[in-house]
Amino acid sequence: MTVRVRVEDARRIWLRAQRLSTAEPFGAGPQAVAAAVTHLGYVQIDTIHVIERAHHHILFNRIPAYRRADLRRAQSVDKSVFETWTHALSYVPAADLRFFLPQMRELRTGPWHRNAGPQDVRRVVARVREGGPLTIRDITDDVLVDKDWAWASRKPSKLALEVAFTWGLLTVSERAGMVKTYELMDRHFGWDKPPRPATARQELAYRLDRALRSQGVVSLASVCFHAPRLKPAVRDLIGQRVRRGQLVAVDVAGVEHWATPQTLDIIPPAPEVAAVRLLSPFDPLIIQRDRLELLFGYRHVFEAYVPKPRRRYGYFALPVLAGDRIVAAIDLKTDRAAGRLLVQQWTWVGDGDERTHRAVVDAELERFERFQLEPPG
């Protein structure tokens, strides 16, 4: 049997699962960072710094008292989170590391880059093993090469470090801005022996459970985001759980979804107060564009790489969540020298309008500006 769920109900379930409809869902401090990353499953890292970087921004929207030092402590002292590749470079819970070990080891056969072969990887790993943690700035004896793409480094060792990191030979033990300190993974975590890698079946169950926890109502596309090859196996697993009564088939606007019976027991009501969040383009609520359009009627366009004359919302527009609707897209820039948050462009979308939403959005802009201008640390 398939249960029909209204779009607005599926939207509110998703907001509840994303912890964007609760004032302080995770508390405060480094423990809150670990709890948020554990619940969401990942927090995406991005280099763009026109406003605060994506990972800090995502956590700020779920931890009102968030400080950048909380993430630094969680990563480098408590070691409750670590960096790896999900659909992008992300923070994930350290407790989930074993689910990522198979993909790390699978990559160790290559393919090789002309500036980072197996001997280069062995060399940088040996350097860390013998000399301790290092950053790319500590390597001064590279023979520089020409860049083969815009964001590449001229130091071959940088690519070798990144390959060793991707393989799980090294981990990022600390991050200062976007400067990474690399350490042996086993030494960073203090393992007597490494965790046992998850089996393929355990990986699938982990992926499905993570989506159910952080999305509430899931589709095959949302579970297998950036991993379409997994769809047949995930569908089989979902079918098994439906037959056991652990999942319920759900129709949302004609699109096949699933949810646990407990998720559907209590449908969140419409919020009485339109709490406002200025969301990162890389927020888990925004990054899956098709799902966002289905449930919010809004399709975000990331225009940082779009020529200026063709931009609709602006270079780094932030979708604005008010209650359970996206009401605006605001292109912001932090002028750190002048100590100001600049509104480059403001576009009302959906039901958003000046009379209804301007005051509450302005209040959140002020809070966001204070966060932007806080000194690091």
Side-chain angles (χ1 to χ4, degrees):
M1 183 182 76
T2 298
V3 177
R4 294 191 185 278
V5 173
R6 299 182 307 167
V7 167
E8 54 265 43
D9 291 336
R11 181 168 65 239
R12 291 167 191 159
I13 288 171
W14 190 16
L15 287 170
R16 177 178 66 189
Q18 279 290 305
R19 299 299 190 259
L20 285 168
S21 56
T22 308
E24 290 186 273
F26 301 110
Q31 297 81 10
V33 169
V37 175
T38 295
H39 179 80
L40 296 172
Y42 74 91
V43 168
Q44 184 170 336
I45 299 167
D46 194 76
T47 60
I48 294 177
H49 200 212
V50 64
I51 59 167
E52 185 51 86
R53 291 189 173 98
H55 38 292
H56 294 304
H57 187 172
I58 292 166
L59 291 168
F60 167 77
N61 269 321
R62 292 161 176 85
I63 306 171
Y66 174 74
R67 297 293 178 266
R68 298 164 187 83
D70 296 338
L71 177 57
R72 187 175 302 117
R73 180 181 175 91
Q75 178 175 22
S76 302
V77 180
D78 300 342
K79 301 172 186 176
S80 56
V81 303
F82 80 109
E83 298 183 25
T84 193
W85 293 95
T86 54
H87 68 283
L89 186 62
S90 302
Y91 287 104
V92 301
D96 293 351
L97 189 147
R98 72 190 197 93
F99 298 105
F100 295 88
L101 290 176
Q103 74 177 22
M104 293 175 183
R105 296 182 179 186
E106 192 176 305
L107 293 170
R108 293 183 189 179
T109 55
W112 300 104
H113 188 280
R114 61 185 175 84
N115 290 330
Q119 70 282 358
D120 301 298
V121 174
R122 285 194 294 268
R123 177 175 52 80
V124 295
V125 171
R127 191 164 184 164
V128 173
R129 180 178 294 111
E130 294 162 11
L134 59 75
T135 74
I136 188 57
R137 293 177 179 175
D138 298 321
I139 299 177
T140 59
D141 55 356
D142 267 359
V143 177
L144 302 184
V145 298
D146 291 333
K147 291 185 178 185
D148 53 6
W149 62 296
W151 291 277
S153 170
R154 295 190 64 203
K155 288 186 173 183
S157 291
K158 185 175 189 296
L159 182 56
L161 285 167
E162 290 171 352
V163 171
F165 161 77
T166 301
W167 289 358
L169 301 174
L170 301 177
T171 193
V172 175
S173 60
E174 187 175 1
R175 178 183 281 270
M178 296 307 289
V179 178
K180 296 171 280 191
T181 299
Y182 293 92
E183 170 64 298
L184 299 178
M185 184 174 278
D186 54 356
R187 197 158 64 193
H188 173 70
F189 287 109
W191 293 332
D192 292 327
K193 60 179 181 179
R196 178 177 295 180
T199 65
R201 185 174 182 81
Q202 289 169 337
E203 282 185 81
L204 286 176
Y206 167 74
R207 177 178 284 271
L208 176 56
D209 290 338
R210 182 180 66 185
L212 288 164
R213 182 179 67 246
S214 62
Q215 298 173 15
V217 175
V218 305
S219 67
L220 204 56
S222 74
V223 176
C224 301
F225 181 56
H226 273 242
R229 64 183 178 82
L230 297 177
K231 285 184 177 181
V234 170
R235 180 178 283 280
D236 287 346
L237 179 59
I238 288 172
Q240 294 168 24
R241 293 194 183 184
V242 169
R243 290 189 292 273
R244 292 197 293 262
Q246 296 169 326
L247 289 180
V248 176
V250 175
D251 179 292
V252 180
V255 179
E256 188 177 37
H257 287 75
W258 296 268
T260 67
Q262 296 81 5
T263 295
L264 301 178
D265 280 346
I266 301 177
I267 303 295
E272 294 181 5
V273 179
V276 176
R277 301 284 189 275
L278 307 172
L279 297 173
S280 167
F282 304 107
D283 194 280
L285 193 81
I286 302 300
I287 198 69
Q288 295 199 36
R289 306 291 196 245
D290 291 343
R291 177 178 173 87
L292 180 71
E293 186 172 23
L294 177 71
L295 298 188
F296 281 86
Y298 166 77
R299 188 173 192 88
H300 189 69
V301 182
F302 183 63
E303 298 179 320
Y305 306 118
V306 174
K308 188 173 182 178
R310 290 168 46 197
R311 292 176 191 153
R312 178 181 177 188
Y313 299 125
Y315 176 83
F316 201 73
L318 309 185
V320 180
L321 177 71
D324 63 351
R325 303 306 299 255
I326 303 291
V327 300
I330 305 180
D331 184 26
L332 297 176
K333 178 180 180 180
T334 303
D335 185 340
R336 295 173 178 86
R340 296 170 54 204
L341 182 65
L342 307 177
V343 176
Q344 309 283 77
Q345 180 177 328
W346 188 312
T347 308
W348 293 112
V349 301
D351 297 332
D353 67 69
E354 186 89 11
R355 183 175 59 84
T356 305
H357 297 106
R358 182 65 190 240
V360 291
V361 175
D362 277 343
E364 181 61 13
L365 278 167
E366 290 177 11
R367 189 177 82 93
F368 193 59
E369 181 178 58
R370 289 194 297 271
F371 171 63
Q372 296 296 304
L373 300 175
E374 285 174 357

